[in-house]
Amino acid sequence: DTRDNQNSPSSGSRFNINNVAYRQSFGGDVSFDAYALSFSKYIGHGNGHVLAGRVNGRWTNNAPPSGYSTIMLRGYTMGQFLARHSTLFEIEERLHIRDRWGATAFVGAACLYGDGKACDERTNWYPAAGAGITYVLKPEEKMIARAELAAGKGENFGFYMKFGYEF
């Protein structure tokens, strides 16, 4: 993790790889593994503007449908679309407007695959795009609140009010 700030990074990157092992011996209904990899990069480009990007992947082994991967993008409801594996990418522009105010604009796409589904099939891709406003609550800690609208494929959309950036 080389981010200059964990709340609102303007430079650096973050890499994480992990395995969550679900086991019957620890009280689970079934035993399976979920492997995850994530990489985020932050590039400041003057006047408080930041270009942020991320790539995530999640792969399961012997998972039941309740342990499948889902779309982790704004504009979709988690758990609505599932598959054994998922991969996503997202790019977000974080603009400083004036004083404590800012704006975000983002685009991304996720692919759900496995069990005969592949990413070379258009129907397995789920695009998303959106924009919003941000307000810095605590300048000394770079803590923000944000309100965003996002749209996904078909009838999928969302309005979000949250603290901190999505990634």
Side-chain angles (χ1 to χ4, degrees):
D1 189 344
T2 63
R3 295 174 296 173
D4 61 344
N5 182 284
Q6 289 185 3
N7 291 330
S8 296
S10 59
S11 67
S13 59
R14 180 179 183 270
F15 178 77
N16 183 27
I17 187 167
N18 65 67
N19 169 9
V20 177
Y22 298 86
R23 297 292 178 256
Q24 286 177 308
S25 57
F26 293 130
D29 292 334
V30 294
S31 293
F32 70 95
D33 291 284
Y35 305 95
L37 178 140
S38 65
F39 177 75
S40 302
K41 179 74 176 166
Y42 307 90
I43 303 167
H45 53 93
N47 298 325
H49 307 316
V50 176
L51 179 65
R54 70 173 173 158
V55 177
N56 290 6
R58 185 174 186 272
W59 305 270
T60 64
N61 184 35
N62 296 322
S66 63
Y68 280 9
S69 301
T70 189
I71 300 169
M72 302 289 291
L73 289 171
R74 290 163 279 187
Y76 293 94
T77 301
M78 286 179 46
Q80 181 179 4
F81 301 101
L82 300 170
R84 287 198 181 274
H85 317 299
S86 68
T87 301
L88 75 80
F89 67 91
E90 186 174 23
I91 297 171
E92 179 174 273
E93 180 64 36
R94 300 171 181 171
L95 299 169
H96 175 257
I97 296 175
R98 184 170 174 238
D99 300 324
R100 294 182 175 201
W101 291 96
T104 59
F106 49 90
V107 295
C111 177
L112 295 178
Y113 56 99
D115 290 334
K117 294 180 181 179
C119 288
D120 61 358
E121 299 170 26
R122 190 174 191 195
T123 58
N124 298 328
W125 280 98
Y126 298 85
I133 59 170
T134 61
Y135 182 77
V136 179
L137 296 170
K138 291 181 148 185
E140 63 280 356
E141 296 186 28
K142 294 187 174 185
M143 182 185 291
I144 67 140
R146 62 188 167 91
E148 296 171 325
L149 284 170
K153 184 166 141 179
E155 302 282 321
N156 293 287
F157 66 93
F159 173 71
Y160 305 88
M161 294 181 68
K162 292 185 172 184
F163 293 105
Y165 285 109
E166 189 70 15
F167 60 96

